[in-house]
């Protein structure tokens, strides 16, 4: 590894599983101390132990990013213990089910509470510390669902569209203060989050759901958490020093069609 984040503190939300977990591990291998923020305390602990077991540095913090009090307290602990936040990856997110015809109020509210408001809450507290330090990189987690319409995914598509718009707004406000903000829009990556969607798409048959989904990808396969982690690392470190407000699709050509 090349130490692209040597001496830095990186916060990754939703790092107990999937894309966030792979990214936390990569950031740690690149020299960062990683704060793993996740609703699921045991998963966060496990991810942190994996990193420290491999010789890296990590802290697990259990918090619901949709709750302003828990977010402030989590970042209070991080800043108190680690002294700074150089990188924030707003990765935690939830899925939805249903089209505009049948999605529930609860489904809409949860998607917006976690995906959109959670991103705002974590960014607000991290950005204040970054602005005070005069540098930082915030990476938001969008989705191809913010770029194209995905069937039966109304609340999720709308909440990820909000994340892309928030990214542009934040980038304009924070660029003069030394903080860059970009958003990744991944295509489908096989993680626990996607299993219900893939099963539903195959009418209960996971293999059929996977085949139907893969057919939408010109590259002929789904993505891996490690491939999205590599994009997050690029955005986190100085290799992307002229990028801010950028919407980076990482989707095997799905949205190019
Ligand atoms: N997997 C995909 O195909 C895909 C595609 C595009 C975008 N994304 C986005 O990538 C992100 C990560 O997805 P994943 O597939 O790795 O999912 P995942 O379910 O494997 O991991 C998500 C993690 O977020 C945590 N989390 C959920 N709600 C939270 C909350 N309120 N507060 C704190 N933590 C919370 C979960 O406990 C879990 O550990 C999400 O924002 C998702 O929308 C995923």
């Amino acid at each position: 590894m090349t130490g692209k984040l040597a001496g830095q503190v990186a916060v990754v939300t939703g790092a107990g599983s999937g894309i966030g977990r792979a990214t936390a591990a990569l950031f740690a291998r690149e020299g960062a101390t990683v704060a793993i923020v996740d609703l699921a305390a045991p998963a966060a602990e496990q991810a942190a132990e994996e990193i420290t077991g491999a010789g890296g540095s990590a802290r697990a913090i259990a918090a619901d990013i949709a709750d302003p009090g828990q977010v402030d307290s989590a970042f209070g602990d991080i800043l108190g213990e680690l002294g700074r936040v150089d990188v924030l990856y707003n990765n935690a997110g939830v899925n939805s089910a249903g089209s505009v015809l049948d999605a529930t109020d609860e489904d809409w509210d949860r998607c917006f509470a976690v995906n959109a408001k959670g991103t705002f809450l974590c960014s607000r507290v991290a950005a204040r510390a970054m602005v005070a330090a005069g540098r930082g990189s915030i990476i938001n987690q969008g989705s191809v669902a913010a770029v194209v319409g995905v069937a039966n995914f109304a609340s999720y598509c709308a909440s990820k569209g909000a994340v892309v718009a928030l990214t542009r707004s934040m980038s304009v406000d924070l660029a003069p203060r030394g903080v860059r903000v970009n958003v990744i829009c991944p295509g489908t990556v096989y993680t626990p989050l996607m299993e219900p969607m893939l099963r539903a798409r195959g009418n209960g048959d996971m293999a059929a759901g996977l085949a139907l989904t893969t057919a939408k990808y010109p590259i002929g396969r789904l993505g891996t958490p490690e491939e999205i982690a590599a994009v997050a690392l690029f955005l986190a470190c100085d290799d992307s020093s002229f990028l801010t407000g950028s919407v980076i699709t990482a989707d095997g050509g799905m949205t190019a069609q």
Side-chain angles (χ1 to χ4, degrees):
M1 286 294 141
T2 47
K4 285 180 186 291
L5 299 177
Q8 299 195 27
V9 172
V11 180
V12 182
T13 67
S17 174
I19 296 167
R21 189 159 179 154
T23 305
L26 179 61
F27 283 4
R29 288 199 299 277
E30 290 292 344
T33 294
V34 185
I36 290 174
V37 178
D38 205 294
L39 187 58
E45 292 289 352
Q46 238 179 36
E49 278 164 22
E50 238 169 58
I51 289 173
T52 49
S57 177
R59 305 281 184 285
I61 292 156
D64 181 349
I65 60 152
D67 180 318
Q70 291 189 38
V71 169
D72 285 348
S73 148
F75 278 85
D77 289 351
I78 293 164
L79 287 164
E81 196 187 334
L82 304 174
R84 52 196 283 176
V85 174
D86 301 285
V87 175
L88 167 63
Y89 186 16
N90 282 309
N91 162 78
V94 291
N95 253 348
S96 70
S99 73
V100 69
L101 298 173
D102 50 22
T104 63
D105 290 6
E106 292 72 27
D107 182 72
W108 176 273
D109 289 344
R110 190 67 190 152
C111 266
F112 271 79
V114 178
N115 299 351
K117 190 173 179 186
T119 298
F120 162 69
L121 291 173
C122 294
S123 298
R124 182 171 61 186
V125 63
R128 287 175 180 158
M130 289 175 176
V131 164
R135 55 163 279 127
S137 173
I138 298 177
I139 304 140
N140 292 333
Q141 189 72 303
S143 167
V144 290
V147 183
V148 296
V150 178
N152 291 313
F153 237 28
S155 307
Y156 182 83
C157 286
S159 67
K160 291 296 189 179
V163 170
V164 170
L166 176 62
T167 301
R168 292 198 173 104
S169 164
M170 283 166 52
S171 71
V172 169
D173 288 330
L174 298 179
R177 294 160 170 169
V179 179
R180 299 183 298 108
V181 190
N182 296 288
V183 60
I184 308 173
C185 288
T188 308
V189 174
Y190 191 92
T191 66
L193 184 78
M194 297 312 286
E195 279 175 14
M197 192 272 251
L198 293 169
R199 203 175 294 282
R201 192 171 276 164
N203 285 324
D205 179 344
M206 179 62 104
L210 266 171
L212 281 170
T213 305
T214 304
K216 293 176 186 288
Y217 286 82
I219 208 164
R221 64 177 177 83
L222 305 186
T224 66
E226 290 71 23
E227 286 174 314
I228 308 306
V231 180
L233 174 63
F234 169 67
L235 293 174
C237 76
D238 288 342
D239 286 350
S240 59
S241 52
F242 198 51
L243 272 72
T244 196
S246 296
V247 182
I248 312 285
T249 50
D251 68 354
M254 194 265 204
T255 55
Q257 306 169 91

